[in-house]
Amino acid sequence: MDIDFPLILVILTFATGLVWLADKLFLRPRRAANASVVASEKDSAVTEPYLVELSRSFFPVLAIVLVLRSFLVEPFQIPSGSMLPTLEVGDFILVNKFAYGLRLPVLGSKVVSIDDPGRGDVMVFRYPEDRKTNYIKRVVGLPGDQIRYRDKTLFINGEKVESRFVARLPPNEYRREQLGGVEHDIFLTKGRLGTGGEGEWQVPEGYYFVMGDNRDNSNDSRYWGTVPDDLVVGKAFAIWMHWESLASLPSFRRVGGIE
């Protein structure tokens, strides 16, 4: 069962805030009037209804978490190997939520524009074919770009994207690619290229073409199309922990920035 945590967080914050506000404005004065005395802080705490006490305690915490998660930084865990070697399965990453502008929680509508995704950015977005699922890929094509992928080689607006050989780790070839101003590592798998992996694409205005760094093992824009701006979540900027499964212990060997 899919759980929409952002929606649940918004509902809980709104509900606890509403109870707290209603008590402050209406219920607490009524209790004091019925008792015919002005209750002390200690007495007030004793006579408070449980729901009011609970809401008063949790509302500030929920509100802070909502603001941080919606507008500043949100943690994510990497579930697949589509971004190898840059990101491994089990990496816990931090995503800058305001890098590309402030967006309303749940709705995702941009209310303040700050910057646009850049070529080479590692970007988190909601999967266009299932908007409850978050994906992470590298931005390859910007609005208006012509993208071509042929024989494991990437071309942008007719120009070949240069990469150099680093090592061979069978069945993968480890290469370092220069994408715009970003130098990063990619994997190419010898003899493997999924159906739809080659072709040419025109990136529409307001959309982005994304690809995984594990080029022959990534479900990306080559297969399902471009990412609209209203599905962008934020820019991944750091790994803060690695924890692949409950059978293993958390590790901090990969802590650091993301190229």
Side-chain angles (χ1 to χ4, degrees), residues 16-119:
T16 55
L18 192 63
V19 170
W20 172 80
L21 184 62
D23 180 69
K24 183 177 180 65
L25 296 179
F26 306 110
L27 303 180
R28 188 183 303 171
R30 186 176 300 174
R31 290 198 302 269
N34 289 340
S36 301
V37 295
V38 178
S40 67
E41 288 295 322
K42 182 177 179 181
D43 294 333
S44 175
V46 171
T47 58
E48 263 186 356
Y50 179 70
L51 180 60
V52 171
E53 183 181 358
L54 200 65
S55 297
R56 181 170 55 82
S57 299
F58 278 95
F59 172 67
V61 177
L62 291 171
I64 290 172
V65 171
L66 178 63
V67 170
L68 289 175
R69 192 180 187 280
S70 300
F71 303 113
L72 298 177
V73 175
E74 183 175 357
F76 288 90
Q77 183 183 15
I78 302 301
S80 74
S82 70
M83 282 295 291
L84 285 168
T86 306
L87 297 171
E88 297 180 2
V89 176
D91 281 348
F92 282 76
I93 63 170
L94 295 176
V95 174
N96 185 334
K97 298 293 288 287
F98 63 87
Y100 304 137
L102 300 182
R103 298 172 185 268
L104 294 176
V106 180
L107 298 177
S109 303
K110 186 183 291 187
V111 291
V112 177
S113 182
I114 295 177
D115 201 358
D116 296 320
R119 202 186 318 280

Side-chain angles (χ1 to χ4, degrees), residues 142-158:
L142 304 179
D145 281 348
Q146 181 79 28
I147 305 298
R148 179 159 60 99
Y149 193 70
R150 191 82 63 193
D151 297 327
K152 301 184 184 292
T153 304
L154 177 64
F155 297 84
I156 301 176
N157 298 325

Side-chain angles (χ1 to χ4, degrees), residues 205-221:
E205 288 299 320
Y207 286 75
Y208 300 92
F209 192 96
V210 297
M211 295 175 68
D213 289 347
N214 193 355
R215 290 287 163 79
D216 300 321
N217 297 276
S218 174
N219 181 27
D220 52 40
S221 288

